[in-house]
Amino acid sequence: MTETRCADCPLRPLPLFLEHSPDEVELVQSLKRRELQLGPDETLIHEGQTDAPLYTLREGWAFRYKTLSDGRRQILSFLLAGDFIGVQQKMGDAAAHGVDTLTPALFCVFQRDSLWELHRRSPTMGFNITWLTAHEESLVDDTLLSVGRRSAEERIAMLLILLFKRAAALQKNDGANGVPFPLTQQHVADGLGLSLVHTNKTLRKLERRGLHRIADGRLFMRDVKALARLADLFGDGRPPPRPLI
């Protein structure tokens, strides 16, 4: 596989990502070790893994999760192109969560000591890492709010809006023809703390009300404003401009 230089990354021209100086891009390039291609339903990071590198997801979808001893799973967050993965693991500690792919996915791989180099050689890029981790934490906070306080309808409405807006920001047409939606109902249930039966019933109920449609692996918004009201969403759900590592 021919690797792509960071300066030629197809994500950089997208309005979602902040513009970086040539020196910053070259710094990221110097720390990049390789690219990794995985298929769907493969594990990128195992729970408890002690040698996990850092990754940027360049193409595809993935998710972070934790499991209990009996196999019950909680999905912590869904990962889309541009997300920086693995920084939650402290230096030298075991990974507290796993990461699996939802689709074929391409990752840029960085050694863990890249964090030190980014902070040492570029305070701006070090701040960008802090911003990305804080943003990831805010997404998890939103999920916790949903699991703790929102009804099933409100939880699913929130998830659909946020994932649609995130995926649409990676497309030139801003989701006019729908966005990829590789989640199964089990993924939705595990991400929102719902049973599979309740998830199925609620998704069908919202679709019958004309709020959304899922077909052929794509998500279409029919009434975003009504979904936003139902979800009691703060803001419009559009992701803010963000750094790209």
Side-chain angles (χ1 to χ4, degrees), residues 22-59:
D23 287 345
E24 290 170 344
V25 175
E26 188 56 36
L27 172 58
V28 174
Q29 179 68 59
S30 71
L31 298 173
K32 178 180 171 181
R33 294 295 174 259
R34 59 190 176 96
E35 294 179 1
L36 174 66
Q37 182 83 55
L38 293 181
D41 303 317
E42 291 195 50
T43 297
L44 177 71
I45 299 175
H46 294 270
E47 290 179 279
Q49 184 175 338
T50 57
D51 59 347
L54 300 165
Y55 303 92
T56 292
L57 177 55
R58 210 183 84 193
E59 298 175 9

Side-chain angles (χ1 to χ4, degrees), residues 70-132:
D70 61 2
R72 284 176 292 169
R73 179 180 69 181
Q74 176 67 46
I75 292 179
L76 305 173
S77 61
F78 294 99
L79 303 168
L80 278 69
D83 284 344
F84 193 53
I85 303 168
V87 73
Q88 295 87 355
Q89 177 187 343
K90 296 179 182 178
M91 287 290 185
D93 289 349
H97 62 266
V99 176
D100 283 4
T101 58
L102 280 165
T103 68
L106 178 63
F107 300 89
C108 298
V109 184
F110 304 88
Q111 292 303 117
R112 294 206 63 79
D113 59 8
S114 297
L115 285 178
W116 293 115
E117 287 298 304
L118 281 171
H119 282 83
R120 185 178 69 84
R121 295 166 58 181
S122 173
T124 299
M125 294 301 288
F127 175 81
N128 287 339
I129 295 292
T130 303
W131 190 96
L132 289 170

Side-chain angles (χ1 to χ4, degrees), residues 113 129 151 175 198 227 232 245:
D113 59 8
I129 295 292
S151 67
H198 204 171
L227 269 177
D232 195 13
I245 304 300

